[in-house]
Amino acid sequence: MFFLITTVIFFSNSIFIFLLISTVFYWFSLRFTKVDFYYKFAKLNSRVATIILFIFLLSRWIQNGYFPLSNLYESLLFLSCIILFVYQFIEYKTKSKIFGAILLPLVLFITGFADLTLPLEMRKASALVPALQSNWLMMHVSLMMLSYAILIVGSLVSILFLIIFLSLSKDSEISFTSYGSYEEYARAENIEIRDLYNVFLDPLDKMSASKQKELRESRKLEFLYNLDNWGYRTISLGFPFLTIGIIAGAVWANEAWGSYWSWDPKETWALITWLIFAAYLHLRLIKGWVGKGPAILASIGFFVVWICYLGVNFLGQGLHSYGWLT
């Protein structure tokens, strides 16, 4: 028992330390853009933290004989692991350090909450309660956690988009909603895309004030197009997982309780979450809206996901005994 407790503490502390170091150096890399070491060191520490977290969860799975989602502590770590994998994939595709800078603090907060707030008894693996002794555990709970993680990433990207979008000039707001992509905007405005990257290399005092403003505003628009695109793509990926997870949960509920839907707090907020992101995708796919409107809806979705996943656990116990705080 002492060895198990020591192992939990060792893994938890290691993950927290590597995430903290990575977060700090991601922020340094944004401030000191010409120093590559900060960004490379931040990436290295985040990769190490991800590996340690993955090994920790895998070891609990092998040791206990069931998927490591038996309690709130394991689900928080599983959520953190998925967010780390998703952010690293987006960072690899976009080559942008901004995703690590905004997502790692969230993972740091989640793991810190799991290790510092939850008592040690809740962090130890225990025998599954009868309601969870089902093959549906891995199917339903893992899909829900996967959808939460992906939707949290997509909605957090939308929050960042919204913050930057609100700082645009009125003309730039109109430009953003008028063109389907940044390349289309650059061609229409006769802007050379290569010049947008040179703005950080060429001495600004050699440019006119109007040229500086044009390049900076164009660079901001390019960044916004990328954020809008990745927020939309991420939410589009998370929504099907949420849908399948809810359906799997309904089938499991009928098997366990004799009813597909009982309006349990978890079920109710899962439905609200589904409706929020369904409305977001409807605006994007059917209405063709981009920019502020869908971003506001996705930003609301960020908080709704957290209420669904964690918030209702503080309000009172329903049929979902899994993960409740006492």
Side-chain angles (χ1 to χ4, degrees):
M1 179 64 67
F2 174 77
F3 174 75
L4 294 177
I5 295 175
T6 304
T7 302
V8 170
I9 295 175
F10 170 76
F11 273 102
S12 300
N13 291 340
S14 300
I15 293 166
F16 185 83
I17 290 171
F18 279 109
L19 286 175
L20 178 60
I21 294 173
S22 182
T23 300
V24 171
F25 276 88
Y26 263 113
W27 290 347
F28 281 169
S29 69
L30 290 179
R31 177 63 181 85
F32 305 102
T33 56
K34 295 183 179 180
V35 183
D36 291 336
F37 168 76
Y38 294 143
Y39 180 41
K40 292 179 179 178
F41 193 63
K43 287 199 300 181
L44 175 63
N45 278 273
S46 70
R47 303 301 189 269
V48 173
T50 305
I51 293 172
I52 294 175
L53 181 53
F54 179 79
I55 292 174
F56 183 43
L57 290 172
L58 184 62
S59 66
R60 291 176 74 103
W61 189 358
I62 295 173
Q63 180 180 0
N64 300 307
Y66 51 78
F67 199 66
L69 283 173
S70 63
N71 54 37
L72 180 61
Y73 175 71
E74 290 179 342
S75 74
L76 286 168
L77 295 186
F78 185 79
L79 180 73
S80 299
C81 191
I82 298 300
I83 292 176
L84 286 172
F85 278 118
V86 173
Y87 116 75
Q88 288 167 13
F89 173 77
I90 297 177
E91 184 179 68
Y92 171 76
K93 299 295 289 186
T94 62
K95 312 300 181 185
S96 175
K97 63 188 74 171
I98 190 66
F99 295 101
I102 65 171
L103 290 170
L104 274 182
L106 176 64
V107 178
L108 184 65
F109 175 80
I110 295 172
T111 54
F113 173 81
D115 293 323
L116 301 177
T117 303
L118 299 182
L120 189 59
E121 287 299 319
M122 291 188 67
R123 286 185 269 164
K124 292 187 298 185
S126 56
L128 291 175
V129 298
L132 296 179
Q133 294 176 4
S134 169
N135 293 328
W136 287 102
L137 172 66
M138 181 183 295
M139 176 69 174
H140 169 60
V141 181
S142 63
L143 280 175
M144 293 301 292
M145 296 306 303
L146 183 62
S147 69
Y148 290 161
I150 297 174
L151 291 174
I152 284 171
V153 172
S155 55
L156 192 58
V157 170
S158 295
I159 291 175
L160 177 62
F161 167 87
L162 189 61
I163 293 172
I164 300 175
F165 185 84
L166 293 177
S167 69
L168 287 177
S169 64
K170 194 64 178 180
D171 290 339
S172 295
E173 287 187 23
I174 295 173
S175 296
F176 182 89
T177 55
S178 300
Y179 302 103
S181 67
Y182 181 74
E183 289 74 15
E184 182 180 339
Y185 159 78
R187 286 194 300 268
E189 300 294 331
N190 295 319
I191 298 173
E192 294 186 39
I193 296 180
R194 59 183 178 83
D195 286 341
L196 304 177
Y197 296 90
N198 292 336
V199 68
F200 296 103
L201 303 177
D202 297 338
L204 293 179
D205 55 4
K206 293 184 179 180
M207 300 181 186
S208 65
S210 60
K211 183 65 173 177
Q212 290 182 38
K213 182 178 180 180
E214 176 188 354
L215 289 176
R216 283 173 173 157
E217 199 75 4
S218 299
R219 181 65 171 171
K220 189 184 291 186
L221 279 174
E222 180 195 26
F223 183 56
L224 282 174
Y225 273 109
N226 287 329
L227 283 180
D228 188 58
N229 181 45
W230 276 102
Y232 166 61
R233 292 170 68 178
T234 306
I235 291 174
S236 298
L237 176 63
F239 184 75
F241 287 121
L242 178 65
T243 304
I244 299 173
I246 291 175
I247 294 173
V251 175
W252 188 10
N254 184 62
E255 181 180 293
W257 302 323
S259 173
Y260 287 100
W261 197 267
S262 305
W263 294 106
D264 179 76
K266 283 279 188 181
E267 296 173 349
T268 303
W269 279 98
L271 177 60
I272 294 172
T273 304
W274 188 89
L275 291 173
I276 290 289
F277 288 105
Y280 170 87
L281 293 175
H282 175 76
L283 291 179
R284 294 294 304 247
L285 292 172
I286 307 301
K287 297 295 185 179
W289 287 15
V290 296
K292 185 167 61 175
I296 291 175
L297 201 55
S299 301
I300 295 173
F302 176 81
F303 299 100
V304 172
V305 168
W306 279 110
I307 294 173
C308 178
Y309 168 55
L310 197 58
V312 294
N313 293 14
F314 293 95
L315 301 178
Q317 190 167 347
L319 292 174
H320 284 71
S321 61
Y322 168 80
W324 292 96
L325 298 176
T326 57

